[in-house]
Amino acid sequence: MKMRVLFLLVTLVLSACGGGGSESNTPTTSPQPPTSNENTNNANTANSSTPTSPSNEPSDDTADQNSSDDLADAQNISTSPVVDIRLPGDVVRKGSVITIDSVIEGSTEGLSFAWVQISGPTVTLAGADSASLTVTLPSANSISNESYTFALTVTDNAGMSTYTETSIESVNAMTELQASALMQQATLGATYAEIQSASGMSESEWLDQQIALTPTLHTPLLENYPDRDNPSHINRIDAWWKASLNAPDQLRQRVAFALSEIFVVSDANTALRGEPEGMVAYYDMLLKHAFGNFRTLLESVTLSPAMGVYLSHLGNEKANAELNIRPDENYAREVMQLFTIGLNELNLDGTVKLDADGNTIPTYSQTEIAGFAKVFTGWTFAYSARWDRPSRNYTLPMHAFADYHSMEEKPLLGGEIIPKNTGPHESMQLALDNLFAHSNVAPFISKQLIQRLVKSNPTQAYIARVATIFNDNGEGVKGDLGAVIKAILLDEEARKYSSVQLHSGKIKEPILVKLHLWRVLNARSELNRYYTWNLTTAYGQGPLLSPSVFNFFRPDHQPNELQALGLVAPELQIATDSNMISTINGHYGDLVWRMAERKTTLNPNTIYMYAQADIEMLTNNGLQPLLDYYDLVYFAGSMSDTTRTALVDLDSYFMNRDASLRVAQLLYMISLSPDFNYQN
């Protein structure tokens, strides 16, 4: 400021002496504000002022400012106002009302203000002629953030003006219903507390938060029976329940469950039945790579001893004609058909490519199967003393014995050939790179993940959008599963902000229906054990309990009723008469027989449902508030009028019974309702 005063004094002296030319240095007193947007700043930062007369550096030195003002007044020199803009400090949410303040250096006496919106969706402005602007932002109508630019012109009583711009970016703030809808797709069944915690956040924020959470692994939860030295099969199931019910990283748990139905390993009536540590290690591997790179996941699956035993490439030997040995082709076939590329060439949108004659184009032949079978020779358990003395360590990736690996040429996809004398490690890398590079991988895997998380019948455009992210996450990386999962769950067909799809949603898997109920009702036993026998008999499925490598159901399963519409409903493949009856009975046992509040004493080994909050809500507030709560936590707002009416009618039948039985019967009917069993 002192320098500015000195500058003005020197200017006056030069002017008096005739120096500096004949033009007057007095600035224009009535300039017009600029119209350019060149000074627009990034979101939530205000621009420096753009005065229409020579600008003055802002200062905290009040005395110097007063001296400068006095000198300017004395010489009839006007200076434009020094203006800044202060934005709301917090994240700006769609649908909110915010205040943007002007910050004026010095006195505000005699100043006039003019705010205008320069860009962005139309908003409601209040106080456009005052020092502070009140902006009412529109509610969310898309998943994307929205950017706005506002301009402020401040004019003093001498007609001198300062023009400045600022930009903000608004993000979504999920309602409880929107949070519940997202979490139906992205969790194993959200509790009311989890829905409340997510509401107010944007969908992307919640997903990023979930992806950043440390994986809740199952191995630390694997416990022995009391007085047993080693865990058994039921202890593996117990560990799965404990993680699924209680883990905070619900998105990871849901995605790992989906991956377990693509990269299928099962201990249902197999040699793996007695290897609970190995099965839990396999599931943990899926958890660790759920948001990692698909290529890394594929390699981990390939080298898993559980997969090696299940699809018989562990202990697979090179050809030996004298001993009638030839490489096992099981994994070679399934890694292509089920785990990466499928049977036929695909377009990016998942549709089948056709040749000139209108026929489908196979992705591989027996030649490629034989080539990949040679790749998967020479691998066995880690730290085995010898090939014929395997360690049987099911928790570590397989190791290779080069002497048992085929050194012959290995034809791969697209005419690529691994040359002779290539060892097991290099052959494995080349083969998996070859699979990963195939154009089918993106649409083939993307579609199945969409089906497991969001909807059974995604549009071609939806598949193409996700497959595009699979091929390039925006930073040149292919196979980024974290980016793929976000693309699936943030897509318009998943969130449905601005469009309604004719065929949306999916049938809920029976085990996920059970999980949802158990999570909301805080199911537990006093001894913290979840021994659930015969899940496949009661619900048609269970974790890592598929009857074959083709999962419990095929992704292209088409019930007769849907054939004319060309639609699929994979989960209905296990909706057999016997399974449906068993599932109904299972829900009745859980919700009516084993509601803790209906018991006078509790068996410490039995898993009970806890519905005290529901009972109190019914007792204190009546039926309709309780149904509103159920609409939120179980239906994500999709409870139909028909279902609500049925629940009201049911409760009227039990009106004279105690509240715990009324709640139990309501929950049982919810478990059977079409609305609840359809994720939409």
Side-chain angles (χ1 to χ4, degrees):
M1 183 59 69
K2 293 179 179 179
M3 289 298 296
R4 189 168 65 179
V5 172
L6 180 60
F7 171 77
L8 290 171
L9 290 172
V10 171
T11 301
L12 290 172
V13 171
L14 289 174
S15 178
C17 294
S22 59
E23 295 293 330
S24 170
N25 289 333
T26 304
T28 306
T29 59
S30 57
Q32 298 298 316
T35 58
S36 171
N37 292 341
E38 292 177 358
N39 292 320
T40 301
N41 244 6
N42 291 332
N44 294 331
T45 57
N47 288 342
S48 58
S49 301
T50 307
T52 58
S53 62
S55 63
N56 296 325
E57 293 293 330
S59 169
D60 294 329
D61 192 334
T62 305
D64 288 346
Q65 178 67 52
N66 291 338
S67 298
S68 177
D69 292 343
D70 291 343
L71 181 61
D73 291 340
Q75 300 300 329
N76 196 29
I77 298 175
S78 296
T79 60
S80 58
V82 178
V83 181
D84 202 352
I85 293 178
R86 182 171 61 242
L87 295 172
D90 297 331
V91 176
V92 176
R93 302 286 177 183
K94 296 179 183 179
S96 64
V97 179
I98 64 170
T99 299
I100 305 175
D101 295 313
S102 62
V103 179
I104 308 299
E105 188 170 312
S107 174
T108 61
E109 185 176 355
L111 299 182
S112 63
F113 301 84
W115 295 87
V116 293
Q117 181 182 356
I118 301 299
S119 66
T122 302
V123 300
T124 300
L125 302 180
D129 57 353
S130 63
S132 296
L133 178 69
T134 300
V135 180
T136 302
L137 298 171
S139 299
N141 59 10
S142 75
I143 199 69
S144 303
N145 294 352
E146 293 176 341
S147 297
Y148 302 85
T149 300
F150 300 96
L152 169 64
T153 301
V154 179
T155 306
D156 63 16
N157 52 15
M160 301 300 294
S161 298
T162 297
Y163 175 92
T164 188
E165 294 180 357
T166 190
S167 295
I168 64 170
E169 187 173 68
S170 65
V171 301
N172 283 0
M174 290 187 290
T175 65
E176 286 189 343
L177 285 175
Q178 289 169 336
S180 181
L182 172 63
M183 297 169 89
Q184 288 225 1
Q185 300 164 340
T187 72
L188 297 172
T191 66
Y192 181 53
E194 289 169 335
I195 293 170
Q196 285 184 306
S197 178
S199 63
M201 302 172 66
S202 72
E203 293 87 345
S204 184
E205 287 170 331
W206 184 83
L207 292 173
D208 287 339
Q209 183 186 81
Q210 282 284 306
I211 290 172
L213 290 176
T214 301
T216 302
L217 302 181
H218 294 196
T219 296
L221 303 173
L222 183 65
E223 300 177 354
N224 300 347
Y225 270 133
D227 303 322
R228 298 284 182 91
D229 293 332
N230 298 299
S232 65
H233 169 77
I234 195 62
N235 300 121
R236 175 183 78 76
I237 303 298
D238 172 61
W240 182 83
W241 279 114
K242 288 175 179 174
S244 299
L245 290 169
N246 302 306
D249 55 324
Q250 278 291 300
L251 177 62
R252 186 182 296 272
Q253 301 293 326
R254 177 67 182 265
V255 172
F257 183 75
L259 292 172
S260 76
E261 296 185 333
I262 298 174
F263 299 98
V264 174
V265 163
S266 175
D267 61 3
N269 304 313
T270 71
L272 296 171
R273 185 78 172 186
E275 303 296 339
E277 295 100 329
M279 296 298 290
V280 170
Y282 184 82
Y283 208 98
D284 282 350
M285 178 267 295
L286 298 178
L287 285 163
K288 292 174 184 176
H289 295 296
F291 306 132
N293 194 276
F294 182 84
R295 170 63 177 79
T296 306
L297 171 63
L298 181 62
E299 183 170 336
S300 295
V301 168
T302 300
L303 295 180
S304 164
M307 179 62 78
V309 169
Y310 189 61
L311 291 185
S312 58
H313 62 292
L314 185 148
N316 191 16
E317 296 184 38
K318 64 183 179 182
N320 187 324
E322 293 181 0
L323 298 178
N324 195 28
I325 294 174
R326 59 189 179 91
D328 188 290
E329 298 178 349
N330 198 13
Y331 186 73
R333 183 178 293 104
E334 307 306 355
V335 74
M336 291 188 284
Q337 180 180 348
L338 301 177
F339 300 167
T340 53
I341 61 175
L343 294 172
N344 298 304
E345 297 279 351
L346 302 174
N347 296 303
L348 186 68
D349 62 6
T351 56
V352 178
K353 290 182 180 180
L354 302 176
D355 62 17
D357 297 323
N359 301 314
T360 59
I361 306 169
T363 52
Y364 60 89
S365 68
Q366 181 58 36
T367 300
E368 288 78 23
I369 293 173
F372 277 99
K374 294 174 185 177
V375 169
F376 305 124
T377 55
W379 294 87
T380 190
F381 291 104
Y383 300 112
S384 295
R386 297 199 310 263
W387 178 261
D388 57 357
R389 292 186 62 183
S391 68
R392 300 191 64 78
N393 187 320
Y394 279 86
T395 64
L396 297 176
M398 293 188 291
H399 285 194
F401 280 72
D403 290 344
Y404 292 84
H405 177 74
S406 174
M407 294 295 183
E408 298 177 0
E409 283 189 348
K410 306 174 182 79
L412 305 178
L413 301 171
E416 183 179 341
I417 295 177
I418 298 177
K420 290 181 178 180
N421 300 319
T422 303
H425 293 280
E426 187 177 357
S427 291
M428 177 78 73
Q429 297 302 320
L430 291 171
L432 297 183
D433 287 345
N434 177 260
L435 285 169
F436 184 54
H438 196 283
S439 61
N440 265 33
V441 176
F444 185 73
I445 297 298
S446 296
K447 181 178 180 179
Q448 289 191 70
L449 288 173
I450 293 171
Q451 288 183 307
R452 299 280 52 78
L453 299 176
V454 176
K455 61 190 304 188
S456 297
N457 297 278
T459 65
Q460 296 172 17
Y462 188 7
I463 296 170
R465 288 191 294 269
V466 176
T468 298
I469 296 298
F470 189 105
N471 283 331
D472 185 343
N473 66 353
E475 299 178 358
V477 177
K478 180 179 181 179
D480 180 352
L481 289 174
V484 169
I485 296 303
K486 285 193 67 175
I488 289 171
L489 294 170
L490 295 178
D491 193 88
E492 177 58 34
E493 288 192 41
R495 302 277 53 84
K496 297 184 291 188
Y497 270 98
S498 58
S499 64
V500 178
Q501 298 292 325
L502 181 61
H503 305 297
S504 63
K506 63 190 290 292
I507 302 296
K508 289 182 184 175
E509 298 179 48
I511 196 66
L512 294 184
V513 170
K514 184 181 183 74
L515 254 175
H516 192 172
L517 290 163
W518 279 29
R519 295 198 80 242
V520 175
L521 296 170
N522 193 22
R524 64 189 187 276
S525 71
E526 290 187 346
L527 294 180
N528 194 33
R529 294 174 185 156
Y530 296 87
Y531 294 160
T532 51
W533 304 94
N534 303 318
L535 284 175
T536 54
T537 301
Y539 298 95
Q541 63 174 158
L544 303 184
L545 287 171
S546 171
S548 76
V549 73
F550 293 95
N551 192 29
F552 308 100
F553 40 77
R554 297 294 299 127
D556 57 356
H557 175 70
Q558 192 173 55
N560 292 334
E561 296 82 355
L562 297 180
Q563 287 184 0
L565 297 173
L567 301 176
V568 301
E571 296 82 3
L572 289 182
Q573 191 170 355
I574 56 175
T576 63
D577 291 344
S578 60
N579 283 346
M580 294 288 286
I581 293 171
S582 296
T583 298
I584 290 171
N585 291 337
H587 290 323
Y588 191 86
D590 286 344
L591 303 169
V592 180
W593 289 348
R594 288 187 288 278
M595 180 173 287
E597 288 77 13
R598 300 193 64 232
K599 302 290 183 180
T600 55
T601 60
L602 301 180
N603 184 327
N605 282 303
T606 300
I607 303 167
Y608 294 100
M609 310 296 114
Y610 291 82
Q612 186 59 39
D614 304 39
I615 295 168
E616 291 177 357
M617 186 179 299
L618 178 62
T619 301
N620 298 330
N621 303 322
L623 178 62
Q624 291 302 328
L626 179 62
L627 295 184
D628 291 340
Y629 166 75
Y630 287 159
D631 189 22
L632 171 65
V633 296
Y634 294 122
F635 299 85
S638 66
M639 181 192 291
S640 65
D641 292 340
T642 300
T643 296
R644 183 179 281 262
T645 300
L647 292 170
V648 171
D649 292 343
L650 175 71
D651 186 64
S652 67
Y653 182 81
F654 292 98
M655 182 65 70
N656 296 324
R657 306 293 294 274
D658 64 88
S660 62
L661 178 61
R662 291 170 64 189
V663 166
Q665 293 292 342
L666 288 170
L667 290 170
Y668 176 56
M669 177 168 280
I670 285 172
S671 75
L672 306 182
S673 67
D675 298 346
F676 178 58
N677 284 273
Y678 186 68
Q679 176 187 295
N680 190 26

